[in-house]
Amino acid sequence: MKQRVYTVGVGDQVRLIRASNRRQAIAHVSTGLMTIRVASQEDIIHQLSKGVPVENYTASEQIELEL
């Protein structure tokens, strides 16, 4: 499988990740930085009560070139 080297940045920190695609590179970096799961009703109530807004996903403006 063809792999490329991607730059993945979090704040000022940039890492070089060899992966088959952009999603794999992001998944590799995010593993140690964050967790993700579907929010429970209690999670939503708790976070909204703290003023945390619900954000809508928006597609990146960066274009992925496929060669």
mmCIF file of all heavy atoms in Angstrom, residues 27-60:
data_model
loop_
_atom_site.group_PDB
_atom_site.id
_atom_site.type_symbol
_atom_site.label_atom_id
_atom_site.label_comp_id
_atom_site.label_asym_id
_atom_site.label_seq_id
_atom_site.Cartn_x
_atom_site.Cartn_y
_atom_site.Cartn_z
ATOM 1 N N ALA A 27 -5.655 10.036 12.923
ATOM 2 C CA ALA A 27 -5.985 9.054 13.954
ATOM 3 C C ALA A 27 -4.752 8.710 14.785
ATOM 4 O O ALA A 27 -4.829 8.586 16.010
ATOM 5 C CB ALA A 27 -6.569 7.797 13.326
ATOM 6 N N HIS A 28 -3.612 8.576 14.135
ATOM 7 C CA HIS A 28 -2.376 8.245 14.850
ATOM 8 C C HIS A 28 -2.019 9.320 15.875
ATOM 9 O O HIS A 28 -1.703 9.022 17.023
ATOM 10 C CB HIS A 28 -1.227 8.069 13.856
ATOM 11 C CG HIS A 28 0.078 7.799 14.505
ATOM 12 N ND1 HIS A 28 0.431 6.555 14.966
ATOM 13 C CD2 HIS A 28 1.114 8.621 14.784
ATOM 14 C CE1 HIS A 28 1.636 6.620 15.505
ATOM 15 N NE2 HIS A 28 2.075 7.869 15.405
ATOM 16 N N VAL A 29 -2.092 10.569 15.469
ATOM 17 C CA VAL A 29 -1.738 11.673 16.368
ATOM 18 C C VAL A 29 -2.776 11.847 17.465
ATOM 19 O O VAL A 29 -2.450 12.059 18.630
ATOM 20 C CB VAL A 29 -1.556 12.984 15.568
ATOM 21 C CG1 VAL A 29 -1.403 14.177 16.496
ATOM 22 C CG2 VAL A 29 -0.345 12.866 14.655
ATOM 23 N N SER A 30 -4.038 11.718 17.120
ATOM 24 C CA SER A 30 -5.100 11.984 18.102
ATOM 25 C C SER A 30 -5.198 10.929 19.192
ATOM 26 O O SER A 30 -5.732 11.199 20.267
ATOM 27 C CB SER A 30 -6.453 12.132 17.404
ATOM 28 O OG SER A 30 -6.860 10.907 16.842
ATOM 29 N N THR A 31 -4.667 9.724 18.952
ATOM 30 C CA THR A 31 -4.768 8.640 19.925
ATOM 31 C C THR A 31 -4.275 9.060 21.309
ATOM 32 O O THR A 31 -4.921 8.790 22.305
ATOM 33 C CB THR A 31 -3.996 7.402 19.432
ATOM 34 O OG1 THR A 31 -4.576 6.966 18.216
ATOM 35 C CG2 THR A 31 -4.046 6.281 20.441
ATOM 36 N N GLY A 32 -3.156 9.735 21.379
ATOM 37 C CA GLY A 32 -2.608 10.129 22.674
ATOM 38 C C GLY A 32 -3.114 11.462 23.184
ATOM 39 O O GLY A 32 -2.849 11.829 24.330
ATOM 40 N N LEU A 33 -3.845 12.208 22.352
ATOM 41 C CA LEU A 33 -4.245 13.556 22.723
ATOM 42 C C LEU A 33 -5.691 13.687 23.171
ATOM 43 O O LEU A 33 -6.025 14.601 23.908
ATOM 44 C CB LEU A 33 -4.037 14.510 21.527
ATOM 45 C CG LEU A 33 -2.621 14.643 21.006
ATOM 46 C CD1 LEU A 33 -2.602 15.518 19.760
ATOM 47 C CD2 LEU A 33 -1.718 15.211 22.075
ATOM 48 N N MET A 34 -6.555 12.790 22.703
ATOM 49 C CA MET A 34 -7.972 12.972 22.988
ATOM 50 C C MET A 34 -8.701 11.644 23.001
ATOM 51 O O MET A 34 -8.185 10.637 22.543
ATOM 52 C CB MET A 34 -8.609 13.894 21.949
ATOM 53 C CG MET A 34 -8.562 13.342 20.539
ATOM 54 S SD MET A 34 -9.178 14.468 19.281
ATOM 55 C CE MET A 34 -7.785 15.557 19.096
ATOM 56 N N THR A 35 -9.894 11.676 23.532
ATOM 57 C CA THR A 35 -10.785 10.530 23.485
ATOM 58 C C THR A 35 -12.057 10.960 22.770
ATOM 59 O O THR A 35 -12.371 12.149 22.714
ATOM 60 C CB THR A 35 -11.163 10.042 24.900
ATOM 61 O OG1 THR A 35 -11.814 11.097 25.603
ATOM 62 C CG2 THR A 35 -9.936 9.608 25.677
ATOM 63 N N ILE A 36 -12.780 9.993 22.225
ATOM 64 C CA ILE A 36 -14.033 10.318 21.559
ATOM 65 C C ILE A 36 -15.021 9.186 21.774
ATOM 66 O O ILE A 36 -14.649 8.017 21.754
ATOM 67 C CB ILE A 36 -13.833 10.595 20.050
ATOM 68 C CG1 ILE A 36 -15.133 11.041 19.405
ATOM 69 C CG2 ILE A 36 -13.229 9.398 19.355
ATOM 70 C CD1 ILE A 36 -14.989 11.596 18.016
ATOM 71 N N ARG A 37 -16.250 9.555 22.047
ATOM 72 C CA ARG A 37 -17.350 8.612 22.171
ATOM 73 C C ARG A 37 -18.635 9.399 21.966
ATOM 74 O O ARG A 37 -18.636 10.627 22.027
ATOM 75 C CB ARG A 37 -17.361 7.910 23.522
ATOM 76 C CG ARG A 37 -17.555 8.828 24.718
ATOM 77 C CD ARG A 37 -17.537 8.049 26.035
ATOM 78 N NE ARG A 37 -17.477 8.926 27.172
ATOM 79 C CZ ARG A 37 -18.502 9.600 27.675
ATOM 80 N NH1 ARG A 37 -19.693 9.491 27.133
ATOM 81 N NH2 ARG A 37 -18.362 10.379 28.729
ATOM 82 N N VAL A 38 -19.724 8.697 21.720
ATOM 83 C CA VAL A 38 -21.014 9.364 21.582
ATOM 84 C C VAL A 38 -21.402 9.906 22.953
ATOM 85 O O VAL A 38 -21.300 9.203 23.969
ATOM 86 C CB VAL A 38 -22.089 8.382 21.058
ATOM 87 C CG1 VAL A 38 -23.450 9.042 21.030
ATOM 88 C CG2 VAL A 38 -21.706 7.875 19.679
ATOM 89 N N ALA A 39 -21.825 11.158 23.002
ATOM 90 C CA ALA A 39 -22.200 11.793 24.269
ATOM 91 C C ALA A 39 -23.490 11.182 24.810
ATOM 92 O O ALA A 39 -24.446 10.975 24.065
ATOM 93 C CB ALA A 39 -22.387 13.291 24.065
ATOM 94 N N SER A 40 -23.492 10.928 26.109
ATOM 95 C CA SER A 40 -24.727 10.470 26.757
ATOM 96 C C SER A 40 -25.602 11.692 27.034
ATOM 97 O O SER A 40 -25.140 12.838 26.960
ATOM 98 C CB SER A 40 -24.408 9.754 28.069
ATOM 99 O OG SER A 40 -23.939 10.694 29.043
ATOM 100 N N GLN A 41 -26.830 11.446 27.384
ATOM 101 C CA GLN A 41 -27.731 12.547 27.729
ATOM 102 C C GLN A 41 -27.177 13.323 28.923
ATOM 103 O O GLN A 41 -27.219 14.556 28.952
ATOM 104 C CB GLN A 41 -29.126 12.006 28.041
ATOM 105 C CG GLN A 41 -30.151 13.098 28.248
ATOM 106 C CD GLN A 41 -31.558 12.528 28.409
ATOM 107 O OE1 GLN A 41 -31.738 11.346 28.607
ATOM 108 N NE2 GLN A 41 -32.539 13.394 28.306
ATOM 109 N N GLU A 42 -26.622 12.611 29.893
ATOM 110 C CA GLU A 42 -26.033 13.284 31.064
ATOM 111 C C GLU A 42 -24.821 14.123 30.672
ATOM 112 O O GLU A 42 -24.620 15.209 31.210
ATOM 113 C CB GLU A 42 -25.652 12.255 32.137
ATOM 114 C CG GLU A 42 -26.847 11.677 32.864
ATOM 115 C CD GLU A 42 -27.681 12.746 33.569
ATOM 116 O OE1 GLU A 42 -27.111 13.619 34.261
ATOM 117 O OE2 GLU A 42 -28.913 12.711 33.402
ATOM 118 N N ASP A 43 -23.996 13.623 29.739
ATOM 119 C CA ASP A 43 -22.849 14.405 29.245
ATOM 120 C C ASP A 43 -23.333 15.730 28.664
ATOM 121 O O ASP A 43 -22.774 16.791 28.952
ATOM 122 C CB ASP A 43 -22.096 13.651 28.137
ATOM 123 C CG ASP A 43 -21.357 12.424 28.609
ATOM 124 O OD1 ASP A 43 -20.935 12.376 29.776
ATOM 125 O OD2 ASP A 43 -21.191 11.502 27.777
ATOM 126 N N ILE A 44 -24.373 15.652 27.837
ATOM 127 C CA ILE A 44 -24.895 16.852 27.174
ATOM 128 C C ILE A 44 -25.435 17.839 28.196
ATOM 129 O O ILE A 44 -25.109 19.032 28.158
ATOM 130 C CB ILE A 44 -25.971 16.465 26.144
ATOM 131 C CG1 ILE A 44 -25.335 15.640 25.018
ATOM 132 C CG2 ILE A 44 -26.660 17.711 25.585
ATOM 133 C CD1 ILE A 44 -26.323 14.969 24.096
ATOM 134 N N ILE A 45 -26.228 17.364 29.131
ATOM 135 C CA ILE A 45 -26.789 18.236 30.167
ATOM 136 C C ILE A 45 -25.681 18.895 30.966
ATOM 137 O O ILE A 45 -25.694 20.114 31.198
ATOM 138 C CB ILE A 45 -27.737 17.444 31.093
ATOM 139 C CG1 ILE A 45 -28.990 17.010 30.322
ATOM 140 C CG2 ILE A 45 -28.112 18.256 32.333
ATOM 141 C CD1 ILE A 45 -29.825 15.980 31.049
ATOM 142 N N HIS A 46 -24.694 18.107 31.371
ATOM 143 C CA HIS A 46 -23.591 18.626 32.191
ATOM 144 C C HIS A 46 -22.791 19.692 31.439
ATOM 145 O O HIS A 46 -22.509 20.768 31.983
ATOM 146 C CB HIS A 46 -22.687 17.476 32.627
ATOM 147 C CG HIS A 46 -21.513 17.899 33.444
ATOM 148 N ND1 HIS A 46 -21.633 18.335 34.747
ATOM 149 C CD2 HIS A 46 -20.203 17.968 33.137
ATOM 150 C CE1 HIS A 46 -20.439 18.659 35.202
ATOM 151 N NE2 HIS A 46 -19.550 18.445 34.241
ATOM 152 N N GLN A 47 -22.417 19.401 30.197
ATOM 153 C CA GLN A 47 -21.597 20.347 29.442
ATOM 154 C C GLN A 47 -22.364 21.616 29.070
ATOM 155 O O GLN A 47 -21.811 22.714 29.126
ATOM 156 C CB GLN A 47 -21.012 19.671 28.188
ATOM 157 C CG GLN A 47 -20.042 18.545 28.494
ATOM 158 C CD GLN A 47 -18.864 18.984 29.345
ATOM 159 O OE1 GLN A 47 -18.356 20.106 29.241
ATOM 160 N NE2 GLN A 47 -18.408 18.103 30.220
ATOM 161 N N LEU A 48 -23.646 21.469 28.691
ATOM 162 C CA LEU A 48 -24.449 22.662 28.377
ATOM 163 C C LEU A 48 -24.609 23.550 29.608
ATOM 164 O O LEU A 48 -24.581 24.780 29.496
ATOM 165 C CB LEU A 48 -25.817 22.263 27.823
ATOM 166 C CG LEU A 48 -25.828 21.678 26.411
ATOM 167 C CD1 LEU A 48 -27.244 21.222 26.042
ATOM 168 C CD2 LEU A 48 -25.303 22.678 25.388
ATOM 169 N N SER A 49 -24.746 22.924 30.783
ATOM 170 C CA SER A 49 -24.895 23.721 32.008
ATOM 171 C C SER A 49 -23.617 24.493 32.340
ATOM 172 O O SER A 49 -23.667 25.498 33.031
ATOM 173 C CB SER A 49 -25.302 22.832 33.190
ATOM 174 O OG SER A 49 -24.224 22.001 33.592
ATOM 175 N N LYS A 50 -22.473 24.034 31.818
ATOM 176 C CA LYS A 50 -21.199 24.735 31.999
ATOM 177 C C LYS A 50 -20.965 25.764 30.899
ATOM 178 O O LYS A 50 -19.931 26.422 30.873
ATOM 179 C CB LYS A 50 -20.041 23.731 32.020
ATOM 180 C CG LYS A 50 -20.036 22.857 33.248
ATOM 181 C CD LYS A 50 -18.974 21.767 33.274
ATOM 182 C CE LYS A 50 -17.774 21.959 32.433
ATOM 183 N NZ LYS A 50 -16.789 20.855 32.526
ATOM 184 N N GLY A 51 -21.915 25.879 29.963
ATOM 185 C CA GLY A 51 -21.781 26.861 28.887
ATOM 186 C C GLY A 51 -21.035 26.355 27.671
ATOM 187 O O GLY A 51 -20.670 27.149 26.796
ATOM 188 N N VAL A 52 -20.791 25.050 27.592
ATOM 189 C CA VAL A 52 -20.094 24.491 26.438
ATOM 190 C C VAL A 52 -21.096 24.376 25.283
ATOM 191 O O VAL A 52 -22.109 23.694 25.420
ATOM 192 C CB VAL A 52 -19.499 23.102 26.767
ATOM 193 C CG1 VAL A 52 -18.852 22.479 25.537
ATOM 194 C CG2 VAL A 52 -18.493 23.213 27.910
ATOM 195 N N PRO A 53 -20.851 25.039 24.152
ATOM 196 C CA PRO A 53 -21.808 24.992 23.039
ATOM 197 C C PRO A 53 -21.672 23.702 22.237
ATOM 198 O O PRO A 53 -20.613 23.067 22.226
ATOM 199 C CB PRO A 53 -21.402 26.193 22.179
ATOM 200 C CG PRO A 53 -19.921 26.304 22.403
ATOM 201 C CD PRO A 53 -19.709 25.918 23.864
ATOM 202 N N VAL A 54 -22.732 23.334 21.551
ATOM 203 C CA VAL A 54 -22.679 22.228 20.599
ATOM 204 C C VAL A 54 -22.171 22.807 19.282
ATOM 205 O O VAL A 54 -22.716 23.791 18.780
ATOM 206 C CB VAL A 54 -24.075 21.591 20.397
ATOM 207 C CG1 VAL A 54 -24.013 20.510 19.324
ATOM 208 C CG2 VAL A 54 -24.592 21.021 21.712
ATOM 209 N N GLU A 55 -21.098 22.232 18.746
ATOM 210 C CA GLU A 55 -20.506 22.715 17.502
ATOM 211 C C GLU A 55 -20.914 21.801 16.355
ATOM 212 O O GLU A 55 -21.053 20.597 16.541
ATOM 213 C CB GLU A 55 -18.981 22.708 17.610
ATOM 214 C CG GLU A 55 -18.463 23.593 18.736
ATOM 215 C CD GLU A 55 -16.950 23.524 18.865
ATOM 216 O OE1 GLU A 55 -16.254 23.545 17.820
ATOM 217 O OE2 GLU A 55 -16.463 23.447 19.997
ATOM 218 N N ASN A 56 -21.093 22.377 15.181
ATOM 219 C CA ASN A 56 -21.411 21.609 13.984
ATOM 220 C C ASN A 56 -20.149 21.369 13.177
ATOM 221 O O ASN A 56 -19.340 22.283 12.992
ATOM 222 C CB ASN A 56 -22.434 22.342 13.110
ATOM 223 C CG ASN A 56 -23.780 22.419 13.775
ATOM 224 O OD1 ASN A 56 -24.273 21.432 14.312
ATOM 225 N ND2 ASN A 56 -24.385 23.592 13.759
ATOM 226 N N TYR A 57 -19.996 20.157 12.684
ATOM 227 C CA TYR A 57 -18.866 19.812 11.828
ATOM 228 C C TYR A 57 -18.904 20.664 10.561
ATOM 229 O O TYR A 57 -19.960 20.868 9.972
ATOM 230 C CB TYR A 57 -18.932 18.328 11.433
ATOM 231 C CG TYR A 57 -18.001 17.977 10.301
ATOM 232 C CD1 TYR A 57 -16.651 17.789 10.535
ATOM 233 C CD2 TYR A 57 -18.465 17.863 8.995
ATOM 234 C CE1 TYR A 57 -15.786 17.492 9.495
ATOM 235 C CE2 TYR A 57 -17.612 17.565 7.949
ATOM 236 C CZ TYR A 57 -16.268 17.377 8.205
ATOM 237 O OH TYR A 57 -15.422 17.089 7.175
ATOM 238 N N THR A 58 -17.746 21.155 10.169
ATOM 239 C CA THR A 58 -17.617 21.842 8.872
ATOM 240 C C THR A 58 -16.419 21.236 8.152
ATOM 241 O O THR A 58 -15.395 20.953 8.767
ATOM 242 C CB THR A 58 -17.400 23.356 9.041
ATOM 243 O OG1 THR A 58 -16.265 23.580 9.886
ATOM 244 C CG2 THR A 58 -18.614 24.030 9.661
ATOM 245 N N ALA A 59 -16.562 21.037 6.874
ATOM 246 C CA ALA A 59 -15.495 20.454 6.079
ATOM 247 C C ALA A 59 -14.295 21.378 6.033
ATOM 248 O O ALA A 59 -14.454 22.601 5.988
ATOM 249 C CB ALA A 59 -15.985 20.156 4.669
ATOM 250 N N SER A 60 -13.122 20.801 6.012
ATOM 251 C CA SER A 60 -11.888 21.570 5.933
ATOM 252 C C SER A 60 -11.793 22.262 4.585
ATOM 253 O O SER A 60 -12.235 21.744 3.568
ATOM 254 C CB SER A 60 -10.694 20.626 6.102
ATOM 255 O OG SER A 60 -9.494 21.311 5.875
#
